[in-house]
Amino acid sequence: MLALDKSRQGLASEAPWLDPAMVLEVCTQDSYKNISFDCRLVIASYANKPSQGDSMLDIIRSNAQSFWVKVAFGVIILVFVFWGIGSFTDTGNVNIVGTVNGEPITYQQFEMSYRRAEEAINQQSPRRTWTAEEKSQLGRQVFQQLVVERLIVQEARRNNIDISPYELRLYVGQLKEFQDAQGKFDPERYKNVLAATRQTPASFEEDLTRRLLIEKTVAFVSQGSWTDSLEARARFNFLRQKRVMEYIYVPATPKESQEIAADQIAKFYDDHKMDYAIPQKADVQYIEVNPLTLVSAEAITDEQARAWYEKNQGRFVEPETIEVSHILVPVEQNAPAEDVKKAEEKVAAIQNELASGKAFADVADAYNPKNAADKGGRVGWISHGMTVPAFDKAAFAAKEGVVTAPVRSEFGFHLILVTGRKAEAVKKFEDVRAEIQKTLAGEASRDKLGDVLDALVEDNILGKDLAASASANGLTLKSSGLMSSDEIQKTLGINAEGASSIMSKGANQPVDMPLTAGDKYVVVRVTKTSPASFKPLEEVKADVVTRIRSADALAAAMKELETVLKGADKGLEESWKSKVVVSTAVDRGSALAPFASQPELDDAMFTTAPGSWLPGVYAVQKDKEQGALIARVAKIEDPSAQEWQQFEPIMMNLTQRERQDGVYQAFMEDLASKSKIEVRNQDIIDRKNM
């Protein structure tokens, strides 16, 4: 089959909605500082464009989560890691929360940012109960974020960096949320979408401008960082370096005849009693609540679905497609002239056969290489961008039913036949009704979630029949049987904290809040409990004896090798030389085969000089067998030049990112150290009495 090669499409494949002419205009502005950054801003913004299903708040948040903004926020937390020191002071003011170099952060600005942050968290956990400490922590994080934004925006002003109205229009105009069914910016839709998220165009554009400005300023600051290829290669050598080891292994063979005294058995049992613990168990009744299935798709009427369809037709646009077959004559892209000539002669012969009246499918089967296409040369239905550029261009320009002239791509020469064509169109409502009903049912389920959980939790606390409560909401009551905390976690899909809240309850007690279980919630009542205990010694005596014998055998093996290791630097005795094994090359961070990973041994192999013995005797596991081991670094194997060529782009990018990170951290630390940042109202930030 033809290779799907979007990477060769360049910007068009990463951001097909981007108008190249508009990009070119932005990328050739007169302002020196704006040239590279406007290009990077536009391309990065569109390459990371949110999906059509995202809300406008999600759009704003997605812009705030870029790599560089994360760096900025991380740095400011490092700079002000201890609250209340450095340039922070508390002078007290009702309407101003704080100032950054005299510029105020008002109560209204702080409160709006706090509410947005709180809303984002609540969307992930709708039933979350906020403690005073959590509110205070979030308040401080929000204030720190606002400080970072002020510092960066102020620095942008000092360097005459800004976001032009054209840049903003270009960015907003290309967001699908604001486009009509034809993909054009719709001013009325723009106002309506913002109104639905309780924003005005002015506030949205102000917020978006600030965030784009932050990204541009970060790019400006970090542009001077450079990458040293020698540094990248040295890091790669370090990461990919291998060690060949020579080792001596002595298995720990327990003596079945070894007598173990009763007091030794009792002491081992007491010392390892937790190994024989029987965990606390609980039997619970639980109701699973899936936020996406509380309302069935069948409950959504045709009228509701059609109204949603009319407002969101842009989601259902099907691109132009063609049904294609081809005959391929392979030839390398950089093949010698004689090979190209032979391929051209073969193509001409195939054309003559087609001209003589032979069926295209028969000729294709006779000439196509294996995997070049399906039977008859069929490629199938394709849309723009699914095939390599040369093939794509020729196929979509071809007349239906007419074989094209030879088309050269990186795979060779193609003779293309288009047998069907479908123009771009919006899917009919009847074809997407079920999909829309499912979407609307999910939205209605999320809206209904709070009421359902409230009713179930209330019934649970009041001791009502949970089976009846579940049935009243179209749900099912389940029972776990007696289970440990770990088993309950797996069965209900909850986390350790949720399992702990269950295990803390007595019999016939409710868990007074729903527990998160992945993408679901569970309402739980404990019906029966079983306390933790220990298996009696008589029941585990045989295991205790086996473990004592194994421990004694391992100690003897390690003691034997300790003696060998003491004189190993001067040379091994002949009896030990024959027991030396040469390992396969060991990767950094990997285990010495055939033994299981042993952290001390794994580290020592890469911190010991070549030719030297590792500093200790190591207890190791080999399959089900224990033993002792000593080892010497026989040689070091550095990665080959071919390996470096394969990974060079990745390592260069990694090194460049770290350089940029370092430059920006230094910039932010210097900027913060020279700034005057005042806290005017600590109580508001800490959410006291709120």
Side-chain angles (χ1 to χ4, degrees), residues 327 329 345-355 363 367 415:
I327 300 170
V329 176
E345 291 171 351
K346 187 173 181 179
V347 170
I350 294 172
Q351 288 179 298
N352 288 335
E353 290 193 33
L354 293 172
V363 177
Y367 286 97
L415 294 173

Side-chain angles (χ1 to χ4, degrees), residues 364-383:
D365 288 340
Y367 286 97
N368 266 339
K370 186 178 180 181
N371 298 326
D374 289 339
K375 186 173 177 60
R378 189 174 186 276
V379 175
W381 288 94
I382 63 171
S383 57

Side-chain angles (χ1 to χ4, degrees), residues 99-117:
T99 62
V100 180
N101 295 320
E103 183 178 325
I105 298 174
T106 66
Y107 170 78
Q108 290 81 2
Q109 291 166 338
F110 175 83
E111 194 66 19
M112 181 178 295
S113 296
Y114 181 89
R115 293 301 179 191
R116 285 180 178 175

Side-chain angles (χ1 to χ4, degrees), residues 341-565:
K341 184 177 180 182
K342 289 179 182 179
E344 289 174 337
E345 291 171 351
K346 187 173 181 179
V347 170
I350 294 172
Q351 288 179 298
N352 288 335
E353 290 193 33
L354 293 172
S356 70
K358 287 187 177 181
F360 186 92
D362 294 337
V363 177
D365 288 340
Y367 286 97
N368 266 339
K370 186 178 180 181
N371 298 326
D374 289 339
K375 186 173 177 60
R378 189 174 186 276
V379 175
W381 288 94
I382 63 171
S383 57
H384 278 292
M386 288 181 62
T387 59
V388 293
F391 189 100
D392 185 280
K393 182 178 180 181
F396 277 90
K399 292 182 179 179
E400 191 172 332
V402 179
V403 179
T404 66
V407 177
R408 179 79 183 271
S409 78
E410 49 261 59
F411 299 105
F413 290 99
H414 308 264
L415 294 173
I416 303 170
L417 176 64
V418 175
T419 54
R421 187 182 300 270
K422 296 177 184 177
E424 179 180 287
V426 177
K427 291 182 182 179
K428 295 180 180 178
F429 171 72
E430 290 72 19
D431 296 334
V432 296
R433 179 195 288 112
E435 178 185 342
I436 293 173
Q437 288 175 324
K438 184 178 179 181
T439 298
L440 293 179
E443 293 178 359
S445 293
R446 285 190 290 270
D447 293 339
K448 187 179 178 182
L449 176 64
D451 292 338
V452 171
L453 288 177
D454 285 342
L456 291 175
V457 170
E458 182 178 348
D459 288 353
N460 195 20
I461 293 173
L462 294 176
K464 293 184 179 180
D465 181 4
L466 284 187
S469 300
S471 179
N473 289 280
L475 303 169
T476 304
L477 180 68
K478 298 181 180 181
S479 296
S480 68
L482 279 173
M483 289 185 174
S484 67
S485 178
D486 289 344
E487 291 170 334
I488 283 178
Q489 273 186 252
K490 293 177 182 177
T491 301
L492 274 64
I494 59 178
N495 58 24
E497 183 181 357
S500 177
S501 67
I502 291 174
M503 304 309 288
S504 67
K505 302 294 181 181
N508 298 313
Q509 287 190 359
V511 177
D512 57 8
M513 63 181 295
L515 304 176
T516 56
D519 57 356
K520 302 177 183 178
Y521 295 90
V522 287
V523 176
V524 182
R525 178 184 294 171
V526 178
T527 57
K528 188 187 300 182
T529 61
S530 172
S533 60
F534 297 95
K535 294 178 182 178
L537 174 57
E538 289 307 313
E539 184 180 326
V540 298
K541 183 176 179 181
D543 182 72
V544 170
V545 169
T546 298
R547 291 177 64 181
I548 292 173
R549 288 173 178 166
S550 296
D552 289 349
L554 179 60
M558 295 190 72
K559 185 174 182 181
E560 184 179 15
L561 285 182
E562 284 174 2
T563 303
V564 176
L565 184 61

Side-chain angles (χ1 to χ4, degrees), residues 44-226:
S45 297
Y46 288 110
N48 292 299
K49 178 193 158 294
S51 69
Q52 294 178 6
D54 293 339
S55 70
M56 289 313 305
L57 286 175
D58 291 329
I59 295 170
I60 295 172
R61 293 190 195 103
S62 68
N63 287 319
Q65 295 305 310
S66 71
F67 170 77
W68 286 116
V69 175
K70 286 180 180 177
V71 170
F73 294 166
V75 169
I76 204 70
I77 290 170
L78 289 175
V79 175
F80 306 123
V81 66
F82 297 107
W83 187 266
I85 67 170
S87 57
F88 282 89
T89 60
D90 192 340
T91 60
N93 190 293
V94 174
N95 296 319
I96 297 177
V97 178
T99 62
V100 180
N101 295 320
E103 183 178 325
I105 298 174
T106 66
Y107 170 78
Q108 290 81 2
Q109 291 166 338
F110 175 83
E111 194 66 19
M112 181 178 295
S113 296
Y114 181 89
R115 293 301 179 191
R116 285 180 178 175
E118 187 179 53
E119 178 187 347
I121 296 171
N122 286 338
Q123 284 182 347
Q124 299 297 320
S125 182
R127 304 295 299 176
R128 181 188 180 95
T129 301
W130 288 84
T131 66
E133 182 180 353
E134 289 171 338
K135 290 182 178 180
S136 175
Q137 183 180 16
L138 180 61
R140 295 185 180 201
Q141 290 173 351
V142 168
F143 182 75
Q144 289 175 346
Q145 177 178 328
L146 291 172
V147 169
V148 170
E149 291 181 357
R150 291 294 192 281
L151 288 173
I152 296 176
V153 170
Q154 289 171 2
E155 187 66 12
R157 291 196 202 108
R158 283 193 286 272
N159 288 278
N160 296 319
I161 301 172
D162 61 12
I163 300 296
S164 69
Y166 181 79
E167 290 175 72
L168 187 63
R169 287 199 306 274
L170 175 62
Y171 184 88
V172 173
Q174 295 297 330
L175 292 175
K176 290 289 186 183
E177 283 75 8
F178 303 141
Q179 294 177 355
D180 58 21
Q182 287 71 45
K184 295 181 179 179
F185 177 74
D186 184 344
E188 287 303 313
R189 182 173 176 78
Y190 176 58
K191 295 176 184 177
N192 293 337
V193 170
L194 292 183
T197 57
R198 301 185 301 278
Q199 297 180 94
T200 65
S203 65
F204 170 70
E205 290 166 13
E206 180 183 359
D207 186 70
L208 183 58
T209 298
R210 182 173 62 255
R211 298 194 183 283
L212 295 177
L213 182 61
I214 289 171
E215 292 206 6
K216 184 188 282 192
T217 305
V218 172
F220 171 67
V221 169
S222 62
Q223 69 164 336
S225 61
W226 53 277

